[in-house]
Amino acid sequence: MQCPNLQKSLGWCQGTPELPGMKRRLYYISKGYIVKWPTLPRDAQGRITSAIYEGDFVLAADAKWKYIDVLPDKSQLTSEAQGEVPSQTQLNKLTAVHPAVGAEASAAAAYINNNDNVYIVEDMKGNYRVVGCDKWESKSTVAQDLGQGPTGTTSTTITVEATDECPAPFYRGTIETEEGDIDASETT
């Protein structure tokens, strides 16, 4: 069988800034509230042709994305290949550090730890990236640190591992939050 070539050149213009990190607010929701997922475009052989989701997340009635404010200098999104050819996938890893350790952060730990969640983070260029997919369960764990001594730091750290077919897909649809809708198509 002769398959069409999907490979493309990957150029970069010298001096183009690539801003590292993520912004201070991320969004999350339990997969149980997602009625319909956006899709990654594919060719006739089922190969992904773009890392940008098509369509919107459709949520159950009255469901909204919740937010978590994080410390951008301590939070990170990474992706690495896992598995063997021809079944390799990506392991997307999110570390989100929230500064508080009070009752609300502790309660959040209880339901984040025991739920299959999806997260949306915004990078420094205004692109929204999704951690979690409809095919595999995401694993979220939460740790708290009350700090040590007068110069210590408190934190609630959410660590997410989510298998996907590509590194944290881009999302350019609507994010329905409790504070109003975000149009993720307005990226740079």
Side-chain angles (χ1 to χ4, degrees), residues 26-181:
L26 65 83
Y27 298 91
Y28 76 107
I29 194 166
S30 170
K31 284 187 190 175
Y33 293 118
I34 299 173
V35 175
K36 182 180 176 198
W37 285 73
T39 58
L40 290 170
R42 298 175 185 278
D43 71 1
Q45 285 74 34
R47 299 176 299 172
I48 294 172
T49 59
S50 172
I52 302 170
Y53 272 130
E54 294 178 339
D56 288 326
F57 282 100
V58 177
L59 306 181
D62 299 326
K64 302 287 184 194
W65 290 86
K66 306 300 181 192
Y67 69 85
I68 300 171
D69 287 334
V70 299
L71 299 171
D73 289 348
K74 295 185 177 187
S75 300
Q76 182 178 24
L77 174 59
T78 63
S79 184
E80 60 190 46
Q82 64 180 2
E84 300 293 328
V85 173
S87 301
Q88 282 194 18
T89 54
Q90 292 295 130
L91 181 58
N92 296 317
K93 297 180 180 181
L94 172 65
T95 301
V97 180
H98 177 73
V101 293
E104 289 178 355
S106 296
Y111 56 76
I112 289 172
N113 274 336
N114 294 300
N115 205 339
D116 187 6
N117 297 297
V118 179
Y119 301 82
I120 297 178
V121 301
E122 184 180 7
D123 70 20
M124 294 310 231
K125 285 189 167 185
N127 295 300
Y128 290 88
R129 309 285 297 262
V130 177
V131 179
C133 76
D134 59 338
K135 292 177 180 62
W136 296 284
E137 190 171 313
S138 300
K139 180 182 179 186
S140 303
T141 56
V142 183
Q144 284 192 328
D145 184 349
L146 273 54
Q148 184 178 29
T151 59
T153 302
T154 63
S155 64
T156 297
T157 302
I158 302 160
T159 305
V160 182
E161 290 189 352
T163 296
D164 207 326
E165 292 182 84
C166 75
F170 291 76
Y171 180 63
R172 296 203 174 139
T174 300
I175 305 169
E176 297 177 40
T177 76
E178 54 195 0
E179 296 180 325
D181 291 354

